[in-house]
Amino acid sequence: MSAADITRSAIRTAFLELLKEKRPEKITVKDISEKCGINRNTFYYHYQDTFTLLEEIFELDFDQIVEQYPKLNSLEECLDAITLNAKEKKHAIMHVYRSDRKNIYVDVLWKMCEYVTKKYLSTVFPDVQLSDYDRQLITRYFKCSCFGLTIDWIKAGMKDEYIEDMHRILQQSKGVADLIIKNCIESQQ
């Protein structure tokens, strides 16, 4: 790891520590610099502002999901991929979500939900011949479901019992993906 990578990592870590205590708009470059023992110019050498730093942190979370989950065998695994990642930064995500910069996390969460949905569909239904249009519609349906459940969980304070509820919902809807795909195939004939 290069010196620049070490510095960037220290800045991210300091920022995440500060996010446990307050919302992102309340954190200054001075706060971050003092926390990780650098000067402000060093911060600005690596980041334009605290919001570009926040974007990078969440993009790295997305990259981590891509690396850890090349295949997903169920919608429950899709949900777990996102919630386990989020729980690692629970306080930070809660502060960001309750701030005027929540769109930074929401945009990455949307991208995560799309990724896990596509991986699920390509893992479980690799040989199914669907039109591109139908594949996009099915992806959108499950992406929106995953996103909606996750946002509801975040709004509720990221409580573990909500994850249990989400799993129950997904268990009760087993076979829905098969049915949707079957109906799409039949409508193409």
Side-chain angles (χ1 to χ4, degrees):
M1 189 180 279
S2 71
D5 290 337
I6 292 169
T7 301
R8 289 176 77 87
S9 178
I11 292 169
R12 289 191 303 267
T13 300
F15 187 61
L16 285 170
E17 286 295 317
L18 290 164
L19 271 174
K20 290 179 182 178
E21 303 163 15
K22 50 188 167 182
R23 294 180 180 189
E25 66 270 13
K26 301 288 185 188
I27 300 171
T28 65
V29 171
K30 180 182 176 189
D31 295 335
I32 297 166
S33 299
E34 288 176 358
K35 185 103 175 144
C36 66
I38 61 169
N39 64 47
R40 291 169 49 104
N41 289 337
T42 302
F43 176 90
Y44 286 115
Y45 176 78
H46 294 283
Y47 297 100
Q48 180 180 353
D49 54 31
T50 58
F51 299 112
T52 56
L53 169 58
L54 187 60
E55 287 171 349
E56 180 177 287
I57 288 169
F58 291 136
E59 283 296 329
L60 288 170
D61 284 349
F62 174 75
D63 293 345
Q64 181 181 354
I65 284 179
V66 169
E67 185 178 312
Q68 285 183 317
Y69 298 95
K71 291 184 176 186
L72 291 157
N73 295 304
S74 69
L75 291 171
E76 289 90 344
E77 283 184 19
C78 294
L79 186 69
D80 287 345
I82 291 170
T83 56
L84 290 172
N85 179 280
K87 284 172 75 173
E88 293 174 8
K89 293 180 178 69
K90 178 180 178 175
H91 296 292
I93 289 172
M94 291 306 301
H95 276 116
V96 170
Y97 189 77
R98 292 178 179 144
S99 77
D100 61 352
R101 298 295 180 166
K102 78 178 182 181
N103 66 309
I104 293 171
Y105 182 69
V106 168
D107 290 348
V108 172
L109 177 61
W110 186 250
K111 195 163 93 169
M112 288 177 185
C113 290
E114 182 169 19
Y115 171 80
V116 298
T117 298
K118 284 181 176 178
K119 282 299 167 186
Y120 162 69
L121 292 171
S122 67
T123 301
V124 177
F125 305 101
D127 300 324
V128 173
Q129 298 299 317
L130 293 171
S131 69
D132 289 341
Y133 178 73
D134 282 342
R135 188 168 293 281
Q136 288 172 359
L137 287 177
I138 293 167
T139 299
R140 188 183 324 155
Y141 174 79
F142 287 109
K143 171 180 65 175
C144 291
S145 298
C146 184
F147 181 82
L149 288 169
T150 306
I151 285 292
D152 189 50
W153 170 64
I154 292 169
K155 281 183 177 181
M158 298 173 80
K159 297 176 184 164
D160 287 339
E161 59 267 19
Y162 271 67
I163 293 175
E164 294 169 20
D165 292 346
M166 291 187 289
H167 276 276
R168 178 142 171 81
I169 290 168
L170 293 174
Q171 288 168 357
Q172 297 302 319
S173 62
K174 277 202 186 306
V176 169
D178 296 304
L179 181 61
I180 291 171
I181 289 173
K182 176 182 173 254
N183 289 339
C184 285
I185 292 170
E186 288 176 2
S187 72
Q188 291 176 10
Q189 298 171 351

